[in-house]
Amino acid sequence: RIRTTSTALALSRLNMISLPIYSCLLLLILLQLGDSFSCNNNLPFLKTSESSKSSISSLFAQEESDSEETIAVDPNAVNVLGTPLRCCCSDVGGTGIGTGFYRNGYCSTGEQDLGRHTVCCKVTDKFLEFSKAVGNDLSTPMPEYHFPGLKEGDIWCLCAQRWAQAYNADMAPKIFLQATHEKTLDHAPIEILKEFAIDKDEAEKILKDLNDKRDQLNNLL
């Protein structure tokens, strides 16, 4: 409801007079607090003491640690054989860097991993030369991405599409099936993957055991 009485008009005029006063008071307060702020790209940041900086750094370090634990390994992740996903390589080339999209040593994947780094492979110079020739340089280190650069014999989680591309060009590297994530099957069938398996004998035994258990279960049903 709109008031049109003289009282309302008086209040309206008072508010109009008060606004400039409030603005001046606010400006004075900001000027007094000026020494407590520093500007960077026109954005104000509170200055902090050394002890405060230390506490904040510790807080962020803890949050980062907690985050890494959260994405370390999906306990439900399975490999192309249907068994729990094994570690691919937690120390690539002695650099202390783990392979995988999450750099945790596993070829695990998730929503952020658009490239599907799911194939645990052992690279060769021949493959690395091919990969560089098609626009995917895996030999040059990129510290900003925690990428050590690969050399022959290194073990790395390769993008599934890249492995399929190399396969079609007869350049595919050998792989470890037990450390290759099941999402790889979206790009290559298990029969082809087994042809390049370094752990083929063990994988065949695992598949046989699984099939035997499946048969036993079917008989019970």
Side-chain angles (χ1 to χ4, degrees), residues 85-171:
L85 185 68
R86 286 193 177 183
C87 180
C88 180
C89 184
S90 59
D91 184 14
V92 180
T95 61
I97 298 175
T99 187
F101 179 77
Y102 299 109
R103 298 297 189 265
N104 54 23
Y106 288 76
C107 296
S108 49
T109 187
E111 293 182 0
Q112 295 176 316
D113 181 20
L114 301 180
R116 292 291 186 230
H117 295 73
T118 56
V119 185
C120 181
C121 65
K122 188 174 184 178
V123 302
T124 62
D125 287 336
K126 185 178 180 181
F127 165 73
L128 291 174
E129 290 172 4
F130 164 78
S131 187
K132 187 174 183 178
V134 295
N136 186 31
D137 183 7
L138 297 175
S139 304
T140 304
M142 290 187 287
E144 65 272 26
Y145 296 111
H146 298 285
F147 180 68
L150 305 178
K151 60 184 183 300
E152 181 160 352
D154 284 342
I155 299 173
W156 189 255
C157 292
L158 186 66
C159 291
Q161 286 184 330
R162 288 293 187 180
W163 190 90
Q165 179 186 35
Y167 170 79
N168 291 329
D170 294 324
M171 293 289 181

Side-chain angles (χ1 to χ4, degrees), residues 146-196:
H146 298 285
F147 180 68
L150 305 178
K151 60 184 183 300
E152 181 160 352
D154 284 342
I155 299 173
W156 189 255
C157 292
L158 186 66
C159 291
Q161 286 184 330
R162 288 293 187 180
W163 190 90
Q165 179 186 35
Y167 170 79
N168 291 329
D170 294 324
M171 293 289 181
K174 297 289 186 179
I175 66 177
F176 293 91
L177 293 177
Q178 296 176 77
T180 295
H181 195 280
E182 64 174 343
K183 286 293 185 180
T184 303
L185 296 174
D186 292 340
H187 303 274
I190 186 62
E191 294 304 323
I192 288 179
L193 296 175
K194 286 197 293 185
E195 293 177 11
F196 290 83

